Amino acid sequence: MTDASALGILAGGGPLPGQVAAAARAAGRAVFLIGFEGYAEPAVLAPFPHEVVRLGAAGRILDLLRAHNCREIVLVGPVRRPSIFDLRPDREGTRILARIGRAAFAGDDGLLAAVVRVFGDEGFAVIGAHEILTEAVGPQGVLTELVPDAQAQSDIARGVQVVRALGGVDVGQACVVQQGIVLCVEAIEGTDAMLARAAGLRRDGVGGVLVKLVKPGQDRRADLPTIGPATLRAAATAGLRGVAFEAGGTIFAGRAATIAAAREAGLFLIGLDPGPVSHPSDGEYP
Amino acid sequence: MTDASALGILAGGGPLPGQVAAAARAAGRAVFLIGFEGYAEPAVLAPFPHEVVRLGAAGRILDLLRAHNCREIVLVGPVRRPSIFDLRPDREGTRILARIGRAAFAGDDGLLAAVVRVFGDEGFAVIGAHEILTEAVGPQGVLTELVPDAQAQSDIARGVQVVRALGGVDVGQACVVQQGIVLCVEAIEGTDAMLARAAGLRRDGVGGVLVKLVKPGQDRRADLPTIGPATLRAAATAGLRGVAFEAGGTIFAGRAATIAAAREAGLFLIGLDPGPVSHPSDGEYP
């Protein structure tokens, strides 16, 4: 990997693909973005050289990456989890799907790990967005003046227990806990949709917390949890008192803006020590 | 427990409290219903001797049960999980809350187990609704002409894995799986609300399945999973192909009506062998 090669950015939704591209460019590196049709936002892609392709067009994606001299690639930005039926793979995509196998579609990590493996086989190195956006990785500790009280700490501990159990079966990254009660649990609807639901499920009394963690065993080169100003605003609307994320494993969609949004909404924002949340590299879940 | 004593029925929402009362009466037993304010349906209580009380009015509940010569009691029908703050306990309720402790509010089972224990301490025997409604307990095997195909069987197996993991941390009883993808997971919103959400999350191609199980270690005298015609209609609206429940641990809100609703909606309905889903009596989760 020489600096002469471009960074290939496979872009899903939201602002992060643009932030990765800007950070790589600021470091003097050429970039090429492949925006997934229906997910990548045109305004995010516009400032950079890019093409828009269908998710299933694997052959076209590989051709574009080679044509633009990309050796390292980053997968960043949410993509709605495709069913094997709506991928509409091209010829290369069909070949790759056969290699991946249907089993990979059973869990998020299975599929992402398979995608990372396929790119590796094709001669590309997949790196994590957090390796480019080092400034955007959420640090450990409380980032707001407001700190979690005893009830909030207890809710965070309960949330960590629940999200780890979920992660152990490769489902979701987040839950909302209020006064010890698990109000909602994330599957594929995403954190914002889960927060929208939390508002209608809340109990009287002190508000709950959002807990969002990296899955045990998750490959950090794909789909790291993301928190941004919109997350904090949605948490406030849901009546929560704060957000707990995993330090070193969460990407802020704009660090200063995310912390500022927490302060404006009167929420605490805390980065949890990833220590007790193990990430075995052998693929075994604890 | 002599037949001369009445069966006390602590009634939450839905039709089941009335079905328990009718079944006990048909067996020649007197009944007395305590309907929880805001949950029990007046039309369900009306045919039987009853009073309506607040959830937190523990002293009044115990007095009523004694005044009506109840020795055995059944807890049946859903009650929205109260926060410790909106219980508004009476004097006896406050004494009992102090005995139960806040810890019990952390999970469904903790609280229900504590409630069963308190009634036992007060001289009442809590029995399960399934012991009265023997006819309404879901049996093992496929109850419809339609049977799950290989994809549906695989989705059911994935759902069992996920619901068991959730149950292990005392959250929810159900999830929806389509083509191996876990579309949604139940916390306290309840199965109907989860199914309403599933409709917006479904993928193209063959529909998913609802899997609803007894929690590992759950005390079967409280809050057994319930499936009724409304569940089947909601599952059909969500684009599902079938419903899998745990045989021997699920109460049908009307057995014939539930099976008929499945057939009319073109869904399969299958009772899973509870064998692989262990229910240790020592309170340990596997």
Side-chain angles (χ1 to χ4, degrees):
Chain A
M1 314 306 139
T2 70
D3 274 343
S5 79
L7 179 67
I9 300 172
L10 275 59
L16 276 177
Q19 292 175 22
V20 170
R25 244 195 199 168
R29 188 153 186 200
V31 298
F32 183 75
L33 279 71
I34 296 180
F36 290 118
E37 192 180 298
Y39 303 102
E41 296 175 13
V44 169
L45 302 176
F48 309 98
H50 68 274
E51 290 272 348
V52 175
V53 302
R54 285 191 304 106
L55 260 188
R60 174 126 181 84
I61 293 168
L62 294 172
D63 288 347
L64 281 167
L65 290 171
R66 291 191 178 111
H68 290 85
N69 192 31
C70 301
R71 301 255 181 72
E72 288 191 330
I73 59 176
V74 172
L75 311 173
V76 62
V79 166
R80 184 172 182 271
R81 190 84 164 64
S83 119
I84 206 166
F85 296 94
D86 52 28
L87 261 184
R88 294 190 293 131
D90 62 10
R91 182 191 299 253
E92 181 70 17
T94 305
R95 195 177 63 78
I96 287 172
L97 272 182
R99 206 181 339 153
I100 290 179
R102 286 174 75 95
F105 280 76
D108 290 339
D109 291 346
L111 182 58
L112 288 168
V115 167
V116 168
R117 201 167 54 240
V118 164
F119 278 115
D121 292 349
E122 299 289 336
F124 299 96
V126 179
I127 64 174
H130 61 296
E131 296 174 58
I132 306 289
L133 284 176
T134 48
E135 177 60 25
V137 175
Q140 194 172 330
V142 181
L143 304 179
T144 45
E145 286 74 33
L146 198 65
V147 300
D149 62 14
Q151 177 67 58
Q153 287 174 32
S154 155
D155 285 349
I156 291 169
R158 173 83 171 121
V160 168
Q161 176 196 36
V162 170
V163 177
R164 287 185 67 181
L166 270 180
V169 288
D170 194 10
V171 176
Q173 298 177 320
C175 74
V176 172
V177 182
Q178 182 192 14
Q179 300 164 30
I181 303 175
V182 181
L183 296 188
C184 40
V185 158
E186 180 186 335
I188 57 158
E189 73 276 28
T191 305
D192 289 351
M194 184 189 64
L195 287 172
R197 176 161 100 237
L201 296 168
R202 67 173 298 203
R203 273 50 185 147
D204 289 342
V206 293
V209 300
L210 167 67
V211 176
K212 191 164 181 177
L213 304 176
V214 183
K215 282 185 210 160
Q218 179 172 343
D219 187 326
R220 288 170 180 242
R221 289 172 297 179
D223 197 33
L224 275 188
T226 303
I227 287 177
T231 316
L232 274 298
R233 286 191 292 267
T237 302
L240 305 192
R241 296 197 293 157
V243 173
F245 63 86
E246 185 170 333
T250 306
I251 294 183
F252 284 166
R255 180 172 178 148
T258 301
I259 296 173
R263 288 174 171 160
E264 279 159 29
L267 301 185
F268 64 76
L269 182 59
I270 180 173
L272 306 177
D273 177 0
V277 184
S278 62
H279 298 284
S281 56
D282 58 1
E284 286 291 307
Y285 298 128
Chain B
M1 317 302 143
T2 70
D3 274 343
S5 77
L7 180 67
I9 300 172
L10 276 61
L16 276 177
Q19 291 175 22
V20 171
R25 245 195 197 171
R29 190 154 186 200
V31 298
F32 182 74
L33 280 70
I34 296 180
F36 290 118
E37 193 179 299
Y39 302 102
E41 298 175 12
V44 169
L45 302 176
F48 308 98
H50 68 275
E51 291 271 348
V52 175
V53 303
R54 285 192 304 104
L55 260 187
R60 175 125 182 84
I61 292 168
L62 294 172
D63 288 348
L64 281 168
L65 290 172
R66 291 192 178 108
H68 289 84
N69 192 31
C70 302
R71 301 254 182 72
E72 288 191 329
I73 59 177
V74 172
L75 312 173
V76 61
V79 166
R80 186 172 180 269
R81 190 85 163 65
S83 118
I84 206 167
F85 295 95
D86 53 25
L87 259 185
R88 296 188 296 126
D90 62 12
R91 181 192 297 253
E92 181 69 18
T94 305
R95 194 177 64 77
I96 287 172
L97 272 183
R99 207 181 336 152
I100 290 179
R102 285 174 75 94
F105 280 78
D108 290 338
D109 291 345
L111 182 58
L112 288 169
V115 167
V116 168
R117 202 166 54 240
V118 164
F119 277 116
D121 291 350
E122 298 289 336
F124 299 95
V126 179
I127 63 174
H130 61 298
E131 296 175 56
I132 306 289
L133 283 177
T134 47
E135 177 60 24
V137 175
Q140 193 174 329
V142 181
L143 305 179
T144 46
E145 285 74 34
L146 199 66
V147 300
D149 62 14
Q151 177 67 59
Q153 288 174 30
S154 154
D155 286 350
I156 290 169
R158 173 82 171 121
V160 168
Q161 176 196 36
V162 170
V163 177
R164 287 184 67 179
L166 271 179
V169 289
D170 194 8
V171 176
Q173 299 177 320
C175 74
V176 172
V177 182
Q178 183 191 14
Q179 299 165 27
I181 304 174
V182 182
L183 295 187
C184 39
V185 158
E186 179 186 335
I188 58 158
E189 73 276 28
T191 305
D192 289 352
M194 184 190 65
L195 286 173
R197 174 161 104 238
L201 297 167
R202 68 173 297 202
R203 274 47 187 150
D204 289 342
V206 292
V209 299
L210 166 67
V211 176
K212 190 163 182 179
L213 303 177
V214 182
K215 283 183 208 161
Q218 179 172 342
D219 187 327
R220 288 172 179 239
R221 289 172 298 179
D223 197 32
L224 276 188
T226 302
I227 287 177
T231 317
L232 274 299
R233 286 192 291 267
T237 303
L240 305 192
R241 295 196 294 156
V243 173
F245 62 87
E246 184 170 334
T250 305
I251 294 183
F252 284 166
R255 180 172 176 149
T258 303
I259 296 172
R263 288 174 172 163
E264 278 159 31
L267 300 185
F268 64 75
L269 182 59
I270 178 173
L272 304 176
D273 178 1
V277 184
S278 63
H279 299 283
S281 56
D282 59 358
E284 287 290 308
Y285 297 128

